[in-house]
Amino acid sequence: MKGSLIILSFFVVGAVAAYFGVLPDIVLENDFSIYILYGLMFLVGINIGYDKKTLSTLKNNKFKIVLVPLATLVGTLGGCAIVSIFLPQWSPFECMAVGSGFGYYSLSSIFITQYKGAELGTIALVSNIIRELFTLLAAPLLVTYFGKLAPISAGGATTMDTTLPIITKYSGQEWVVVAIFHGITLDLTVPFLVTFFCYL
């Protein structure tokens, strides 16, 4: 829990600093987060190469690895369909279009805004950001109460990049390959599913 609070505090400090303009222009005009992400991915790669248990986990699970993104997909879309009952202003398909972002807010919100308007696009943006933040903050609790695959499923498409370091820390290095496969698979479904549900 301490790690999650540290992550949250850095996020809050960054938001406050940017809002009040106390950061130098070079930080505000350039997106350094992508380079930090590259560095994190490099370090995760080192950990995977060094830890022999990672590949053995992949060998032991074989085709079961496919079930993880499938379970996330079915659970997310099913949950969105149920939530739509309490949101009469949005159809079940519109709710499932929002859920089909799987945390990939930069792409899904653009598609939804294009097909369904700015209001639902904004909801998709916020929903996917919350999914990513929830995974970053709740990973230790998810592992404790629901198992090592829980943060992977919660992270959706983000498990191949932004949430991968926190998943590595709390689920263990042996699940990194599963998390990357999970993220890539869901990432590829986003444009197809979002467009499909927007047209229904």
Side-chain angles (χ1 to χ4, degrees), residues 58-77:
L58 186 60
K59 288 177 184 176
N60 293 336
N61 287 304
K62 294 181 181 175
F63 295 109
K64 292 179 184 176
I65 192 173
V66 179
L67 297 177
V68 182
L70 181 62
T72 300
L73 193 148
V74 171
T76 299
L77 296 182

Side-chain angles (χ1 to χ4, degrees), residues 39-101:
L40 288 171
M41 294 297 288
F42 176 71
L43 293 173
V44 169
I46 290 173
N47 285 334
I48 292 173
Y50 183 73
D51 189 358
K52 306 303 180 196
K53 286 194 291 184
T54 301
L55 293 177
S56 66
T57 299
L58 186 60
K59 288 177 184 176
N60 293 336
N61 287 304
K62 294 181 181 175
F63 295 109
K64 292 179 184 176
I65 192 173
V66 179
L67 297 177
V68 182
L70 181 62
T72 300
L73 193 148
V74 171
T76 299
L77 296 182
C80 291
I82 292 169
V83 167
S84 70
I85 297 169
F86 306 100
L87 301 171
Q89 68 271 38
W90 306 112
S91 73
F93 297 122
E94 288 172 328
C95 290
M96 286 191 279
V98 171
S100 296

Side-chain angles (χ1 to χ4, degrees), residues 15-199:
V16 171
Y19 181 79
F20 288 107
V22 297
L23 296 171
D25 289 340
I26 191 170
V27 175
L28 298 173
E29 293 170 0
N30 298 283
D31 186 13
F32 291 110
S33 59
I34 190 69
Y35 300 109
I36 295 169
L37 179 59
Y38 291 154
L40 288 171
M41 294 297 288
F42 176 71
L43 293 173
V44 169
I46 290 173
N47 285 334
I48 292 173
Y50 183 73
D51 189 358
K52 306 303 180 196
K53 286 194 291 184
T54 301
L55 293 177
S56 66
T57 299
L58 186 60
K59 288 177 184 176
N60 293 336
N61 287 304
K62 294 181 181 175
F63 295 109
K64 292 179 184 176
I65 192 173
V66 179
L67 297 177
V68 182
L70 181 62
T72 300
L73 193 148
V74 171
T76 299
L77 296 182
C80 291
I82 292 169
V83 167
S84 70
I85 297 169
F86 306 100
L87 301 171
Q89 68 271 38
W90 306 112
S91 73
F93 297 122
E94 288 172 328
C95 290
M96 286 191 279
V98 171
S100 296
F102 299 110
Y104 194 169
Y105 52 83
S106 58
L107 180 63
S108 63
S109 58
I110 291 171
F111 275 134
I112 292 172
T113 299
Q114 182 181 350
Y115 295 121
K116 291 293 182 177
E119 187 178 5
L120 195 64
T122 303
I123 291 170
L125 176 68
V126 173
S127 171
N128 286 299
I129 289 173
I130 288 172
R131 182 170 192 157
E132 184 176 329
L133 286 174
F134 173 78
T135 306
L136 289 169
L137 298 173
L141 295 175
L142 290 171
V143 169
T144 301
Y145 293 105
F146 301 105
K148 293 185 176 182
L149 286 173
I152 297 174
S153 188
T158 69
T159 60
M160 70 174 189
D161 44 51
T162 53
T163 60
L164 185 59
I166 205 80
I167 288 168
T168 305
K169 180 176 180 180
Y170 291 105
S171 293
Q173 292 177 12
E174 65 269 25
W175 294 102
V176 169
V177 175
V178 176
I180 292 172
F181 175 80
H182 176 267
I184 291 172
T185 304
L186 290 177
D187 198 44
L188 293 173
T189 68
V190 171
F192 300 104
L193 288 176
V194 170
T195 305
F196 173 73
F197 286 120
C198 282
Y199 272 116

